[in-house]
């Protein structure tokens, strides 16, 4: 199928698919960041069971394949009398997995701080809250901009899982499967989606390195 | 207490006084209780839904179940290993192209790398599953999953290898050149071996991603672990228990791979520090 034909027939669907991918990505990334932060707080807290739980959580969601998690949520959970909508399942899968990586990046960001800084801050008489707010968080956030950009791209790639469930409207991967099972879309249908994904990834990457240049700490 | 491996996580708190220790003890007890409650709720939900019933679990005691799953796992490992090798080979050439002198080759390889990194594996899977047959390309199911997985990994491998090459000090190349070695053999004999050693942990982490991506094999009915699991499910009508077990198997394999990567990284650092 030629590109003009394809666009005249499916053009508006592509626009909706792109917006759906963006929406899923933004929502999942926001949830992933909140979850990841909460888990990181647990992992650096002095309460041992919470630390262990945080570590366990990260290991689970860092290592489970996305397809496996989505299948569990969609097909297995109803057997526990927990029935979630397809959209909720996709959002959960696309935010639980990145949340584990988010926590790993935050931990790495925290660990780039020289322990001597904490000791110095304490000997200046700063309280625990002050140390966290004024010494740890500013530095950890600044040094985790680039990993977070990568995380945002990874989250976008994870939202392709949505093509495995009947979601309406479809996202960029689902629409390629849809067009190719209902009409002969050929390579063009694939390339349009691939191009839209790539442009989004490049835009995210550019924005990330711009912010990183502004806030990076030169050591 | 104050070893060399001191991290921020360890020094964040000063040695707690009596009052704080009491607070921490209370919080510890409360959080233990809360976690136990959570676990209890999950188990209760299993019990209420009847999922603890013997009929959902008894077949895990049978040898045939495990040999069948083992066969599936073998399929998964086959796909992962071949994809890994292909991705490494392609990644190597992309990396060489990206650092070459020729501007055209640099632009081309950068383009390919960015493309493979920006497109989800599933889209590549659908390309080989739905689009390739329209072009008259007939592939065995094995390649329909192996090719997309390796394509989506090769860009990352190229970037990982490039970061390794950049980490080798410039003096190494200059010294080798002044000894009369040619540019090509300097790269293959001096620079690349050192670069490779640096990036082994990152390559192992990428292997985890490859292994995760192989789960999409069910889309094209290739008999991997996931696909064999669904056969098991239709035999015993036990969706939850089987999929749960499969998830645990994947988690354990990937966990071990990640641990191996960490161990290699630590050993590499120790060697580097001993110099």
């Amino acid at each position: 199928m030629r590109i003009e034909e394809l666009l005249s027939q499916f053009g508006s669907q592509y626009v909706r698919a792109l917006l759906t991918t963006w929406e899923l990505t933004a929502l999942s990334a926001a949830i992933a960041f909140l979850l990841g932060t909460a888990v990181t707080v647990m992992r650096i807290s002095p309460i041992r069971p919470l630390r262990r739980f945080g570590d366990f959580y990260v290991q689970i969601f860092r290592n489970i394949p996305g397809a496996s998690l989505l299948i569990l949520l969609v097909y297995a959970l109803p057997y526990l009398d927990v029935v979630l909508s397809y959209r909720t399942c996709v959002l959960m899968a696309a935010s639980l997995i990145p949340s584990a990586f988010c926590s790993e990046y935050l931990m790495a960001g925290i660990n780039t701080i020289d322990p001597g800084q904490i000791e110095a801050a304490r000997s200046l008489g700063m309280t625990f809250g002050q140390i966290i707010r004024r010494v740890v968080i500013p530095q950890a956030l600044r040094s985790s901009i680039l990993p977070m950009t990568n995380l945002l791209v990874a989250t976008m790639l994870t939202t392709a899982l949505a093509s495995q469930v009947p979601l309406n409207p479809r996202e960029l991967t689902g629409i390629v499967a849809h067009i190719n099972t209902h009409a002969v879309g050929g390579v063009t249908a694939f390339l349009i989606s691939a191009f839209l994904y790539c442009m989004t990834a490049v835009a995210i990457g550019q924005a990330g390195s711009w912010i990183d240049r502004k806030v990076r700490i030169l050591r | 207490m104050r070893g060399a491996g001191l991290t921020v996580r360890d020094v964040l708190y000063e040695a707690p006084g009596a009052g704080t220790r009491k607070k921490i003890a209370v919080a510890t007890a409360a959080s233990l209780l809360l976690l136990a409650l959570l676990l209890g709720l999950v188990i209760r939900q299993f019990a209420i839904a009847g999922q603890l019933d013997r009929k959902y679990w008894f077949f895990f005691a049978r040898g045939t179940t495990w040999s069948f799953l083992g066969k599936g796992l073998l399929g998964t490992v086959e796909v992962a290993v071949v994809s890994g090798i292909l991705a490494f080979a392609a990644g190597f050439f992309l990396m060489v192209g990206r650092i070459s002198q020729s501007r055209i080759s640099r632009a081309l390889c950068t383009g390919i790398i960015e493309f493979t990194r920006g497109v989800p594996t599933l889209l590549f899977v659908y390309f080989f599953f739905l689009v390739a047959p329209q072009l008259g390309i007939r592939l065995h199911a094995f390649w329909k999953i192996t090719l997309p997985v390796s394509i989506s990994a090769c860009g990352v491998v190229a970037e990982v290898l490039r970061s390794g090459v950049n980490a080798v000090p410039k003096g190494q190349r200059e010294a080798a050149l002044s000894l009369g070695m040619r540019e090509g053999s300097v790269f293959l004999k001096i620079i690349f071996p050192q670069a490779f050693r640096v990036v082994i942990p990152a390559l192992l982490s990428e292997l985890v991603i490859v292994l995760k991506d192989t789960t999409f094999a069910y889309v094209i009915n290739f008999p991997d672990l996931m696909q064999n699991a669904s056969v098991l499910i239709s035999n015993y009508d036990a969706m939850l228990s089987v999929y749960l077990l499969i998830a645990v198997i994947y988690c354990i394999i990937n966990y071990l791979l990640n641990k191996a990567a960490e161990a290699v990284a630590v050993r590499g650092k120790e060697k580097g520090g001993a110099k």
Side-chain angles (χ1 to χ4, degrees):
Chain A
M1 201 183 270
R2 298 238 310 283
I3 187 161
E4 300 89 43
E5 271 179 81
L6 200 66
L7 283 181
S8 69
Q9 206 177 330
F10 295 106
S12 60
Q13 288 195 41
Y14 265 113
V15 173
R16 234 183 312 153
L18 177 65
L19 293 179
T20 309
T21 290
W22 283 355
E23 190 200 335
L24 287 175
T25 306
L27 271 176
S28 321
I31 302 170
F33 186 74
L34 291 179
L35 276 176
T37 312
V39 171
T40 310
V41 169
M42 284 187 196
R43 291 173 81 193
I44 60 171
S45 78
I47 301 155
R48 191 151 298 155
L50 287 187
R51 274 191 184 201
R52 288 277 157 76
F53 177 76
D55 288 346
F56 183 70
Y57 174 98
V58 168
Q59 287 306 335
I60 293 287
F61 291 113
R62 209 179 108 157
N63 290 321
I64 195 169
S68 183
L69 179 58
L70 186 71
I71 286 176
L72 270 179
L73 291 173
V74 174
Y75 298 109
L77 269 191
Y79 285 89
L80 288 180
D81 304 330
V82 181
V83 183
L84 304 168
S85 73
Y86 286 128
R87 197 180 138 83
T88 314
C89 289
V90 169
L91 277 177
M92 279 178 76
S95 51
L96 284 173
I97 293 175
S99 75
F101 287 93
C102 177
S103 174
E104 288 289 79
Y105 296 148
L106 286 176
M107 289 295 275
I110 290 173
N111 277 330
T112 54
I113 301 164
D114 190 332
Q117 289 195 17
I118 313 274
E119 290 168 343
R122 190 173 298 139
S123 59
L124 284 173
M126 287 172 94
T127 64
F128 177 69
Q130 281 176 322
I131 295 176
I132 291 286
R133 266 195 324 258
R134 304 220 178 127
V135 180
V136 177
I137 290 181
Q139 297 190 63
L141 273 187
R142 280 166 175 233
S143 57
S144 51
I145 297 287
L146 280 187
M148 288 303 163
T149 352
N150 290 335
L151 187 72
L152 194 55
V153 174
T155 308
M156 176 188 78
L157 299 182
T158 314
T159 61
L161 280 175
S163 63
Q164 301 305 300
V165 296
L167 196 69
N168 195 21
R170 292 182 184 78
E171 43 65 69
L172 283 176
T173 302
I175 196 171
V176 175
H178 172 74
I179 291 176
N180 274 299
T181 41
H182 290 83
V184 184
V187 188
T188 325
F190 160 79
L191 281 180
I192 296 174
S193 275
F195 175 78
L196 292 174
Y197 271 122
C198 276
M199 286 301 109
T200 311
V202 168
I204 293 172
Q206 294 290 332
S209 41
W210 183 78
I211 297 174
D212 180 61
R213 256 194 318 262
K214 292 272 170 201
V215 303
R216 188 180 345 185
I217 302 164
L218 298 172
R219 286 198 172 93
Chain B
M1 273 297 282
R2 324 226 104 180
L6 209 61
T7 59
V8 173
R9 192 171 167 169
D10 302 317
V11 295
L12 211 46
Y13 309 96
E14 40 196 332
T20 319
R21 240 176 301 166
K22 204 179 274 169
K23 269 190 220 159
I24 290 179
V26 170
T28 303
S31 63
L32 261 181
L33 206 67
L34 209 70
L35 289 175
L37 202 70
L38 202 71
L39 188 70
L41 272 177
V42 171
I43 293 175
R44 199 180 84 111
Q45 197 63 35
F46 268 77
I48 290 175
Q51 286 295 324
L52 291 179
D53 198 290
R54 213 181 132 269
K55 72 174 178 191
Y56 293 120
W57 302 92
F58 78 96
F59 49 86
F60 289 131
R62 286 189 183 167
T64 48
T65 305
W66 291 100
S67 73
F68 187 62
L69 284 179
K71 246 180 243 161
L73 185 62
L74 214 61
T76 294
V77 170
E78 244 173 82
V79 173
V81 168
V82 176
S83 299
I85 293 170
L86 284 179
F88 182 78
F92 178 80
F93 286 113
L94 285 173
M95 178 270 293
V96 171
R98 186 161 183 182
I99 61 174
S100 85
Q101 307 286 331
S102 145
R103 192 178 296 170
I104 302 169
S105 132
R106 268 205 314 261
L108 187 72
C109 290
T110 310
I112 297 176
I113 289 171
E114 291 304 324
F115 181 77
T116 60
R117 284 177 39 178
V119 175
T121 313
L122 258 174
L123 195 56
F124 284 122
V125 171
Y126 278 120
F127 177 81
F128 282 96
F129 178 47
L130 297 172
V131 180
Q134 294 172 27
L135 303 174
I137 304 171
R138 276 165 209 281
L139 291 167
H140 186 265
F142 177 78
W143 295 107
K144 278 189 193 160
I145 180 65
T146 305
L147 288 176
V149 170
S150 42
I151 288 176
S152 83
C154 70
V156 181
V157 171
E159 288 298 90
V160 165
L161 290 177
R162 194 168 67 101
S163 74
V165 168
N166 286 339
V168 177
K170 262 201 188 123
Q172 301 264 341
R173 175 171 160 272
E174 287 158 5
L177 284 177
S178 65
L179 284 174
M181 285 175 81
R182 263 182 291 157
E183 195 73 68
S185 55
V186 170
F187 184 77
L188 284 181
K189 288 183 185 157
I190 308 287
I191 296 178
F192 189 70
Q194 300 185 61
F196 182 70
R197 211 166 303 155
V198 177
V199 297
I200 291 175
L203 288 177
L204 280 175
S205 315
E206 186 54 27
L207 196 58
V208 171
I209 297 176
V210 165
L211 196 85
K212 283 185 186 175
D213 282 349
T214 62
T215 47
F216 296 130
Y218 73 86
V219 174
I220 47 170
N221 280 326
F222 178 77
D224 77 328
L225 185 56
M226 195 65 105
Q227 177 70 21
N228 280 11
S230 36
V231 175
L232 211 61
I233 287 167
S234 49
N235 278 355
Y236 294 107
D237 193 28
M239 182 86 83
L240 184 68
S241 53
V242 174
Y243 275 142
L244 210 54
L245 179 88
I246 297 299
V248 170
I249 293 177
Y250 276 117
C251 278
I252 291 174
I253 297 175
N254 288 336
Y255 175 78
L256 292 177
L257 273 174
N258 276 325
K259 274 279 161 245
E262 271 167 40
V264 172
V266 168
R267 240 184 65 194
K269 250 182 216 151
E270 274 166 7
K271 259 191 191 163
K275 261 178 208 167

